[in-house]
Amino acid sequence: MELEATTIDIGTTRPLVLLNTADADELGVHPLDRVRIWWNGETTTGIVKRTDELVDAGTVGVTEPLHYVSGPVEVKHAGTPRSVRYVRKKLDDLELEAHELECIVEDIHENRLSDVELSAYVSAIYTNGLSLEETKHLTEAMSGVGQQLTWDAPVVADKHSIGGVAGNCVTPVMVAIVTEAGLTMPKTSSRAVTSPAGTADVMEVLCDVEFSIEEIQSIVAETNGCLVWGGGVDLSPVDDEIIRAENPLSIDPDGQLMASVLSKKRSAGSTHVVIDVPYGEGAKVESIVAARELSDDFKRVGDHLGMDVTCAITHGADPIGHGIGPALEARDVLEVLEGSGPESLRLKSLRLSELLLEHCGVDASATEILDSGRALERFRRIVDAQGGDPTIQSTDVEPGDESVTIRADRGGIASRVDSRQISDLARRAGAPLDRGAGVVIHQSAGDAVDPGDRLFTIRAETTSKLEEAAELADELEPIRVRSKADALIERR
């Protein structure tokens, strides 16, 4: 069928084509069927949406991923991608072969799967899991798609946390320590998806984080490291599509998690990686037994990929640091580098840095590098190389002007600081898009609390968002205050 292609914006990243119902009936296509489109000697595939109003008969509407298609085109019914058969196979709880996983990854990368089919894949992995062999093959396939970073250094250090702990911004401190010790550590990090701040959001308070591969290589040549947004360099891009499908249901199955983390590390050229696996109430991994099992599997998949992977099993029931949100976490990072700051952030940064240095075979003291001020100077060099102010101090970082402090209405013990609720409050206040928004925590688990003591302060950039966050705070209990007797029972 010959039609006229016209661009249309319906806010999707999928390669959808809108066909008038009359044309769709003539072609014999139903919603989510595929059509092949020929124009100017080239061809592409689109996923069908039928409409009576958005496009006229004789016209095919192409969404943003297909905006390069225009003018007269020929449209024909196309078959279902082969990978859909393999998604059904996994839904039946059958193990997938390496070539089947490669096919799924390729079709996700080429946008051949509809949102429904991609969701079915994620649901199949969540429900039936991945074997260790499947995880190895999936990771290898994902890391083979997209751009690759390469380095001359024989040892390239890296670190990743599986997440779930508010304020866990140890990465900037670690990069400063490890690069000052002489190692190469080109850290590509994510922006927040469901959390109040990713490492890239925190660093963007202080400097630029979006660079080309050539610019990243120049920064690393100058400073030994970088702290940049990984999404700007197309590393393991299939992972980003899968995460987009996982987020609405807040699921992150272990096999896919390992493939996600290690495919990006391999694409970034990392050779030695420390994985932070927090466990505890509210964390992604709730028991130490499960944390150990996950850690062992991370190491096995790393071995398969030729990466030296070790894991740190850390306490993840409580937030790390005082501030939750981009500016507040950036302030905590600078305070630690300056020699003060939250003790929880300082200690975890040192522990993971010592582990990474030892893992890479470097005989250096993370504590000495931090306490001497050398890490701060190295961090400032990285900030400078990334277009920031090299003289930046913690006191220069200002959170949002709007604030409200929640105080204890009774005395006792702070028996629990809930990472998830704290994160929900920070996001309601505007984080991470509003960099100054977030939550400042005034009490830690185990602290004695008197009536009227500050529990936490919400910071926002607008009055309306502050009011929304304050209303949510009334419904939640981010910091539990219990009598001493009740607190002892609760913590057992």
Side-chain angles (χ1 to χ4, degrees), residues 135 175 292 306 324 384 394:
T135 302
V175 170
R292 287 171 178 159
I324 312 299
D384 187 27
S394 58

Side-chain angles (χ1 to χ4, degrees), residues 185-209:
M185 190 170 179
K187 187 70 181 76
T188 59
S189 299
S190 61
R191 297 187 191 277
V193 180
T194 58
S195 69
T199 300
D201 301 303
V202 173
M203 286 304 300
E204 202 164 30
V205 174
L206 308 174
C207 58
D208 296 333
V209 296

Side-chain angles (χ1 to χ4, degrees), residues 120-166:
Y121 164 76
V122 168
S123 299
I125 302 304
Y126 177 74
T127 302
N128 298 322
L130 290 169
S131 70
L132 189 60
E133 286 304 307
E134 285 178 308
T135 302
K136 290 176 181 177
H137 296 316
L138 176 61
T139 309
E140 197 163 17
M142 289 174 62
S143 64
V145 174
Q147 294 182 305
Q148 309 283 320
L149 291 171
T150 57
W151 311 98
D152 293 332
V155 174
V156 179
D158 210 337
K159 168 266 174 188
H160 184 85
S161 173
I162 67 169
V165 181

Side-chain angles (χ1 to χ4, degrees), residues 41 115 159 162 164 201 256 264 308 364 393 402 478:
D115 285 337
K159 168 266 174 188
I162 67 169
D201 301 303
Q256 189 63 56
K264 283 195 179 293
D308 201 341
Q393 299 179 51
E402 302 289 329

